[in-house]
Structure formats: structure tokens, C-alpha cells
């Protein structure tokens, strides 16, 4: 069994947006530290353009920050990076390594997430070893070029009806969208710009977390 995790407020990092707070890993760490102070419960390192060595260094730096706080670190796509940096898990897209293959590499204790865009994608997915689903995009998003069409809260509800796995809604979400996503059955919301592009990431996270709590 993987370590416990809380999907309530799931921060996904964006290298361009966090760079405004400092060069190298400094902007990344500053953003994540502020988001965690505000209530982020899970952090995913996502940088599709970074080479493996850079990602491992970033992941290790984040692990040092997050481990004492008990907040899991997830690495997007890169199973090898997650293992090298001793991250807490990996999040896979539909075109990445299969969940079964990823689980074989990760072992039983790491967290494994999978993106699912609609019921037909869910039906076609190999869910062996998957611990949670990222569902969306709920709304149109500019931070992920290959995201599918927006599915809305109704799309989240459709996936919720098909699975007992924990699910987190993602894609273009802000504070005003949280209630609809939670009421559709999501266990939490995943955000990129709503925190990474905020002038005050801590306050942005606090508002999002409060919206999740209220919607429940």
C-alpha cells in the first residue's frame, strides 16, 4: 500500500510561472513553500522540457522542503526521476508508461496517479496499481498544450460514477470553480496558474483550500 495522501489542494508546478520568483530552483522552492503555508496538500513537479538531471535536482530540493512537513512529492511522467530522487510518487498521462509497468519500477509504497479525460478514456485505461485519477481538463487550460477538450463538472461527475478511486479535478480551475468540482464528486482540486501565477501564492492557496473545505 502507498503512503497516505490528501488530494484536497494539489499544486502542479509550472517552470515559466515560478521563474518570476527567482532563477534556477529558487523560484520553484519559493512558490511551493508559499503554497504549502497556504494549505497545499500535495505537490507535483512538472517540467516537460527539463532534462533528467535538472529534474532530479529539483525533485531532491523539493523533497528536502516537503518531507519534514509530511507533504508528498509527485513527479510528472518521469518514473526514473521519481526513483532517483526518492519522490513519493508519479503521475502518468495516457501516453506515458503503463501504470502496471510504472508500478513494477516504483514498488508498492509510492503513489501512482493517472490522467483520465472522459469515460471512454477511463474504460480503456489500465488501472492496475493506480492510486488516484486526475480528471479533466475541467475547463480550457493554457498550461498544458496537449490537454483534451474541457469536460466541465458534469465530466467529473461522469468519472466519479465509474470508479471508487480518489479523483482530483484539474484544468483551468480557480477559487470560483472549486465548489462545482467538489460537489461533482472530486476529492480535491489540482491547480497550476491559480497558485503559480498568483501575486501571493500563499494567499491564493489559502483561498482555494477554504473553498474546498466549504464545498464539502
Amino acid at each position: 500500500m502507498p503512503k497516505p495522501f490528501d488530494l484536497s489542494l494539489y499544486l502542479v508546478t509550472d517552470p515559466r510561472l515560478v521563474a518570476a520568483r527567482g532563477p534556477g530552483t529558487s523560484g520553484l522552492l519559493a512558490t511551493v513553500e508559499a503554497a504549502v503555508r497556504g494549505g497545499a496538500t500535495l505537490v507535483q513537479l512538472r517540467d516537460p522540457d527539463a532534462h533528467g538531471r535538472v529534474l532530479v535536482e529539483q525533485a531532491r530540493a523539493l523533497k528536502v522542503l516537503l518531507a519534514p512537513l509530511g507533504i508528498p512529492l509527485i513527479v510528472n511522467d518521469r518514473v526514473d526521476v521519481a526513483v532517483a530522487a526518492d519522490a513519493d510518487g508519479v503521475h502518468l498521462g495516457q501516453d506515458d508508461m503503463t501504470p502496471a509497468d510504472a508500478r513494477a519500477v516504483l514498488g508498492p509504497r509510492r503513489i501512482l496517479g493517472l490522467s483520465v479525460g472522459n469515460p471512454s478514456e477511463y474504460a480503456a485505461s489500465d488501472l492496475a496499481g493506480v492510486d488516484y485519477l486526475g480528471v479533466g481538463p475541467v475547463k480550457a487550460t493554457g498550461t498544458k498544450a496537449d490537454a483534451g477538450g474541457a469536460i466541465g463538472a458534469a465530466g467529473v461527475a461522469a468519472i466519479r460514477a465509474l470508479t471508487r478511486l480518489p479523483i482530483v479535478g484539474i484544468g483551468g480551475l480557480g477559487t470560483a470553480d472549486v465548489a462545482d468540482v467538489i460537489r461533482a464528486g472530486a476529492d480535491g482540486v489540482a491547480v497550476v496558474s491559480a497558485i503559480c501565477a498568483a501575486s501571493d501564492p500563499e494567499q491564493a492557496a489559502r483561498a482555494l483550500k477554504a473553498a474546498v473545505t466549504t464545498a464539502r
Side-chain angles (χ1 to χ4, degrees), residues 21-175:
R21 295 185 188 89
T25 59
S26 62
L28 173 67
L29 292 171
T31 303
V32 171
E33 187 173 17
V36 167
R37 284 198 305 267
T41 56
L42 200 69
V43 175
Q44 180 188 134
L45 172 62
R46 181 177 183 273
D47 186 347
D49 299 323
H51 294 295
R53 180 175 295 185
V54 171
L55 277 176
V56 170
E57 290 171 354
Q58 291 178 345
R60 285 177 174 155
L62 285 173
K63 180 82 176 177
V64 169
L65 170 67
L66 297 171
L69 305 174
I71 295 176
L73 171 66
I74 306 296
V75 175
N76 186 65
D77 295 351
R78 297 291 298 271
V79 175
D80 57 337
V81 170
V83 171
D86 195 25
D88 300 290
V90 171
H91 187 88
L92 301 173
Q94 288 287 320
D95 297 326
D96 296 322
M97 182 184 290
T98 68
D101 286 340
R103 176 59 74 196
V105 176
L106 293 170
R109 292 287 298 160
R110 289 193 173 94
I111 302 160
L112 183 58
L114 178 68
S115 293
V116 174
N118 52 58
S120 61
E121 206 165 77
Y122 171 85
S125 295
D126 164 22
L127 299 177
V130 172
D131 298 308
Y132 74 89
L133 298 174
V135 178
V138 180
K139 297 170 66 179
T141 174
T143 58
K144 195 169 190 296
D146 60 348
I151 62 171
V156 176
I159 300 294
R160 174 77 287 165
L162 296 173
T163 184
R164 300 173 74 174
L165 286 171
I167 64 175
V168 60
I170 188 169
L173 299 178
T175 307

